[in-house]
Structures are given as C-alpha cells and as structure tokens.
Amino acid sequence: MQAFMGVPYAEPPLGDLRFRPPVPKAAWEGERLAVKDAPICLQRDPFRRDMIIEGSEDCLYLNVYTPESPKVNGSLPVMVWFHGGGWQCGSGISSFYGPDFLLDHDVVLVSANFRLGPLGFLSTETLDCPGNNGLKDQLEVLRWVSANIASFGGDPKSVTVFGESAGGASVTYHMLSPKSRGLLHRGIAQSGTYFNPWAQPAHKGVAVSRATKLAELVGCGSLGDWPEKLQCLRGKPAEDIVASLYDMFVWDFDPMIPFPPVIEPEHEDAFLTVPPRQAPPPHGLQLPLMVGATAEEGLLKTAALLNLPHLMAEFKSQFDQVLPVVLNYDHHEDSVKQSITQRIESFYFKAGHDYDKANHQNLTDLISDGWFVAGIDEYLRLRMSHEDVAPTYVYLFDHKGAASFSEIFKGERNEFYGACHAEELQYLFPIGRELFVSAVPTKQDLELRELMLQLWVSFATTGNPNPTNVTTSLPVWNAASSYPVEYVRLGTKADDQVAATKASLFRLENELMQHRVDFWRDLKPHLPASHAHNEL
C-alpha cells in the first residue's frame, strides 16, 4: 500500500479567508513531503461531552491511499470518505479512517478534512457570509479528485462518495446540489440523509440569530452591519469562535447541530439555494445508492440518558419542553409542538415513562426514529417515487460485536444496549484500534468485516453490492424499488457462540421498521399547511 498524507486541496482558510468559500490550493514547485496526517480541523466534541478544544484552523488537507500491487489492470475505482460528527467534530485522519481494511481490495481511498462548526457553517443569510463552507470544502475535495486522482491510479469517472451520519447526509447533499453534478458516480449514505431533522437546512432566521449571538459572545456584537462584524470575527482567536458552539445548546447538547447547512441567497458560488423538499428531482436520482442505518441509532443520545441519572430525571420531568428541542421541532407554534409531543408520547410510551437501563428499547427507538430512521425512510420514498431512478440498496446493521460505540457516548463498558449509531464503522476502518484498545474481535466480527468490505467495494466498483468473486454463496441482494422495502440485515446479536455460528450475517428481509416509519410519515398530514415543509 502507498499512502500520500496531508495533501493540501485548498489554501488555509485563515485571516480574510475565514468564513469564505475554499480557495483551491495554488501549485508549488519541487517536491512536498506527504508522509503524515495534517492537523484535524478546529473543533469541540459534544457527542463525547468533551470540554477540550483541539485542532487547527489550517486543516484543509486530504489523504490518498493506493494499493501497491493491484490485482487488476487499468485505473481503479475511487472511494471518497466524508466523516461524521454532526459537521462539528471528527476528521479524516488515518488513525480513525485509515486504509488498513479497504486497501486489501483494489480501490483508491481518499479521506479528507473539512471545516466544522461555526468556522465551517456560520451564515448571516446574506451574501456577506451565505454559509455552507464546510460542504463547499467537500465540493473542493471532489473537484481535486476529478482533476488529480488519475495520477494516483484512480479513475476520475468512477468515484463513489461515502460517509456516515453527517457524512451520509453530505453524500445526499452532493447528490442534490447542481455544483456536484458529474463529480460523483455512486453514493453510500450510512445513517444520514438531508431529510433527517438535524441535517435539514436551518429555518429562515435561525442561522442569522446564531451568527448574531456568536458575534456578541466574542465581543463583535456592538458593531453595525455584517461586513463590520465579520471583519471583527476574522480578527478573533479561532478557539473563541469554536468555544461559542456550546453556548448554542438549549438543553443538554441539543439541538444536536447548532450550525447545520443553510439555504443560501442566489449567487454564483451557492451550494444550496432551495430547501430539499422543494427542490426539483435531484441529479442523484440517476446515481446508484446504498443507504442504511443501525438497529439502535438512538443510543447516540440514550446511552448518556441511561447512565447519567440527573439527565434522565430532567428528561422525564421536563419531557414536554425537552423533546421538541431534542427532535428539532421547537420552531413550531406551541399548539403544534404540543400536538406532536402528545402523539409521540402515546405511540412510544403507552405504559408511561418507566424506561430505564433494563427497559430502554422504546426510548431508544424514539430517538432512533426521530433522528435517523424517519429521514432515511423519506429519502427512500423520494427515490422510489420516480420511475427512472438508479438502483437503491438498503441495509440494516444489527450486530453485537466485541466493542460498541455506546461506550463512547457514555454507555457503560461491557454492557450491550444494541447496535449503536456509528457501530458499523469499525468493520470498514481500523477505528477500533484507537477507541477500543482492549477489545478482541470475535470470529463473527472478522467474518462480518470481510463481508462488509466485499459489499462496499463491489458497490464502489460496479454500482451493485453483490460480490462476484467470493467462494461463499450469498442470497442476491436486490435493489429496493417499492414498499414494503426489501433490505439486508447485516450481523447477528446471538449471545452464545453456537447460536452465533449458525446465525447468518446476511439476511434478506422486508418492511424496514414499517410500523414505526408509518407513524412518522403520518405526522405530516396533522401539521398546518404552513408548517408541512418544515416538519420533523
């Protein structure tokens, strides 16, 4: 394997370039060492409840990994990875998203940093700072790949963009934005689409109010218009800008993403000018897609609720006030919020709020559905509503492995709550070596890892995940084209080794959480017409 690390794709977004779109990196003369990771983008991690600010504002770099001795002749398919972290934390560095597993196969892997939090997504809702610079960084990565990847043995006409959580939602944004047309040819959206409430563009007025609050927090609020305030903000320490993220939360670390994508005013460099629900059919409908979720996505939130008693007490006692903030429907009028909360409560908590660590499934399902499953289902319905759409392959990751991401989100070590958000990442990347140093993968973990790598690489190579060169015969994974949704369940939760060896890691099923997604889809008709496009 060959690794080219810390390759600059844009000029450092410092000084006057802060809060502006990326500027392509100018050419340089001579050789440049590309042997180590660049710094991560400046950030603060609310998902780990971390008070540390780390990283650098000079972070717009990418890594390219190529197999040393490919088994095939010619250019190789390219896989471009956009990390998760709510567009406010995370990175593309090798210790997390390295090539150790994927580069056992004939692909070129690209992972990249992009600006995060207010440095990447601040918007004044005017042309002074229209926003979406983090997504525009990703766009610049795709342009760099198109222009340069052939020099690394990659095929610029065979680019699969894949990502998890906000990275998955980013994939769908690139399948929507006209700016990305032609730069990607397939997409893999893991646990995220732009229909998830945390990923939807901020409602009009929200972004500018948060920009105003940030300016006040760092001492720029007393200045007159936005050009003056932005000039002041560009002179402030980047750490002070990033620190302001935590002042945007209303309850606990919610709303989950204070600086999401925005709808920009019309201008030449705009990435997004129309809300996704109002956009014409996106060009991504013509691109093959893999999309899926984990079985207990909601552990991203409920792991902390279950293990921090004061937090759970607040959640239960202030349920009517807290839930609209957590699930991003607090922008509605009080009567609408109350109606939504009552409907949710009657669906998930028929027996009342008696959930705890031993009885958390309904609570976790609520967060799973409100944050992830309903938005993924809506994206599936968008694709299936068009006759000429490219194939769409759906999966559900449902595995009990040697380690679980619920531990990262404040769950207790050695307690298994379910297949947590981000759980599948350790089967695609060597991320477990960094996060779960004492966990020894089981035989089933290793088998699932190899299976998933074959599925992901096959899809990146042909647009079809069904492997063609494996000795083990698998059922044919058909594209989903109608309801009930046909999907593959990946993994097993069997506890004892005898049962686990007999349980298949690849099972074809129908009706993906049908009863639950039907409930969320049914919420829309109960909203006033003026609110319907801003639903959950």
Side-chain angles (χ1 to χ4, degrees):
M1 182 195 71
Q2 296 176 303
F4 305 87
M5 302 167 72
V7 179
Y9 67 86
E11 296 293 336
L14 308 174
D16 190 55
L17 294 184
R18 183 187 287 175
F19 305 129
R20 295 192 192 279
V23 176
K25 181 65 179 177
W28 62 84
E29 292 185 3
E31 294 183 351
R32 177 189 179 102
L33 286 178
V35 296
K36 65 178 183 178
D37 277 311
I40 66 175
C41 287
L42 201 65
Q43 60 188 264
R44 202 174 192 181
D45 187 346
F47 300 106
R48 297 197 198 192
R49 300 171 180 268
D50 200 340
M51 303 310 292
I52 299 171
I53 296 173
E54 58 182 340
S56 170
E57 198 172 6
D58 179 3
C59 64
L60 299 186
Y61 300 85
L62 54 81
N63 294 343
V64 182
Y65 307 99
T66 68
E68 195 151 5
S69 301
K71 303 178 187 66
V72 298
N73 296 321
S75 300
L76 299 178
V78 182
M79 299 182 74
V80 179
W81 173 254
F82 291 140
H83 66 81
W87 295 302
Q88 54 196 345
C89 59
S91 73
I93 61 175
S94 61
S95 60
F96 278 83
Y97 300 116
D100 305 49
F101 302 162
L102 282 164
L103 263 290
D104 287 341
H105 303 265
D106 285 334
V107 295
V108 173
L109 174 64
V110 178
S111 62
N113 292 338
F114 46 88
R115 281 173 287 177
L116 303 165
L119 291 172
F121 290 88
L122 184 86
S123 172
T124 63
E125 301 185 26
T126 66
L127 293 178
D128 303 299
C129 179
N132 293 330
N133 288 321
L135 291 172
K136 292 170 185 175
D137 291 345
Q138 294 178 358
L139 176 62
E140 195 59 42
V141 170
L142 297 182
R143 288 171 172 164
W144 186 96
V145 167
S146 180
N148 297 288
I149 205 64
S151 299
F152 298 84
D155 184 354
K157 293 183 172 58
S158 180
V159 176
T160 298
V161 180
F162 68 132
E164 184 267 345
S165 197
S170 296
V171 171
T172 61
Y173 270 120
H174 289 290
M175 297 175 81
L176 171 67
S177 174
K179 294 291 186 184
S180 303
R181 183 189 293 269
L183 297 176
L184 68 159
H185 310 94
R186 288 167 292 278
I188 304 176
Q190 302 171 209
S191 300
T193 78
Y194 53 58
F195 285 137
N196 294 121
W198 47 264
Q200 290 177 33
H203 306 291
K204 187 171 180 59
V206 171
V208 68
S209 70
R210 290 176 182 164
T212 300
K213 183 174 181 177
L214 186 151
E216 292 170 349
L217 287 168
V218 300
C220 297
S222 62
L223 299 172
D225 54 14
W226 274 117
E228 286 183 90
K229 289 179 181 176
L230 287 167
Q231 184 178 3
C232 176
L233 285 168
R234 290 186 177 107
K236 295 295 182 180
E239 290 79 5
D240 292 353
I241 303 290
V242 172
S244 71
L245 175 73
Y246 277 30
D247 291 298
M248 304 296 167
F249 296 123
V250 177
W251 179 79
D252 191 39
F253 289 97
D254 294 294
M256 191 209 297
I257 302 177
F259 292 95
V262 295
I263 303 303
E264 301 174 51
E266 291 281 356
H267 65 286
E268 184 179 354
D269 294 324
F271 182 85
L272 185 68
T273 59
V274 180
R277 288 193 179 97
Q278 299 174 13
H283 68 91
L285 294 179
Q286 307 307 312
L287 306 180
L289 176 71
M290 269 177 63
V291 59
T294 69
E296 281 84 25
E297 297 274 10
L299 287 167
L300 173 62
K301 183 71 180 179
T302 60
L305 287 173
L306 296 171
N307 285 283
L308 300 176
H310 70 281
L311 201 61
M312 179 65 91
E314 282 185 21
F315 183 81
K316 288 182 176 182
S317 65
Q318 303 175 34
F319 185 77
D320 290 355
Q321 294 76 41
V322 164
L323 195 68
V325 175
V326 173
L327 295 186
N328 292 74
Y329 61 94
D330 56 325
H331 57 282
H332 289 304
E333 297 167 2
D334 286 346
S335 60
V336 176
K337 286 190 292 187
Q338 187 176 42
S339 173
I340 294 172
T341 302
Q342 288 173 348
R343 289 173 60 82
I344 289 173
E345 194 168 21
S346 64
F347 183 80
Y348 287 93
F349 304 125
K350 294 181 176 67
H353 295 268
D354 63 343
Y355 36 81
D356 54 28
K357 287 172 68 171
N359 176 36
H360 70 87
Q361 193 66 48
N362 281 0
L363 174 63
T364 297
D365 286 349
L366 164 59
I367 305 298
S368 296
D369 300 345
W371 272 5
F372 298 100
V373 176
I376 292 170
D377 176 72
E378 184 175 354
Y379 196 77
L380 287 173
R381 289 184 178 276
L382 169 67
R383 288 182 69 90
M384 292 180 193
S385 67
H386 292 79
E387 292 184 0
D388 58 347
V389 69
T392 306
Y393 297 91
V394 185
Y395 71 86
L396 180 69
F397 181 91
D398 191 20
H399 185 67
K400 179 180 181 180
S404 174
F405 266 75
S406 59
E407 179 184 330
I408 304 300
F409 305 130
K410 298 303 179 186
E412 290 186 354
R413 181 173 295 189
N414 299 324
E415 282 201 27
F416 182 69
Y417 303 95
C420 181
H421 181 69
E423 202 82 287
E424 83 281 14
L425 294 180
Q426 57 188 309
Y427 300 86
L428 299 173
F429 298 100
I431 191 168
R433 296 175 192 168
E434 182 88 5
L435 298 177
F436 311 116
V437 293
S438 62
V440 179
T442 66
K443 179 175 179 286
Q444 286 72 37
D445 291 347
L446 297 176
E447 290 175 351
L448 181 59
R449 176 204 296 174
E450 189 50 42
L451 171 62
M452 289 180 60
L453 291 170
Q454 290 170 352
L455 298 172
W456 263 242
V457 169
S458 178
F459 180 82
T461 304
T462 67
N464 185 325
N466 292 282
T468 58
N469 59 346
V470 294
T471 55
T472 304
S473 177
L474 292 173
V476 175
W477 182 358
N478 292 317
S481 58
S482 62
Y483 276 76
V485 173
E486 184 175 348
Y487 67 97
V488 164
R489 186 182 296 265
L490 296 171
T492 175
K493 286 179 178 173
D495 279 320
D496 67 84
Q497 290 299 304
V498 175
T501 55
K502 292 180 179 178
S504 171
L505 299 174
F506 183 97
R507 288 164 286 167
L508 299 179
E509 298 183 1
N510 279 310
E511 301 187 14
L512 181 63
M513 304 180 186
Q514 194 67 52
H515 178 55
R516 287 152 55 184
V517 298
D518 285 348
F519 165 77
W520 287 89
R521 195 175 71 256
D522 189 50
L523 274 181
K524 184 173 181 178
H526 296 272
L527 294 174
S530 60
H531 293 259
H533 72 280
N534 285 337
E535 92 213 66
L536 287 161

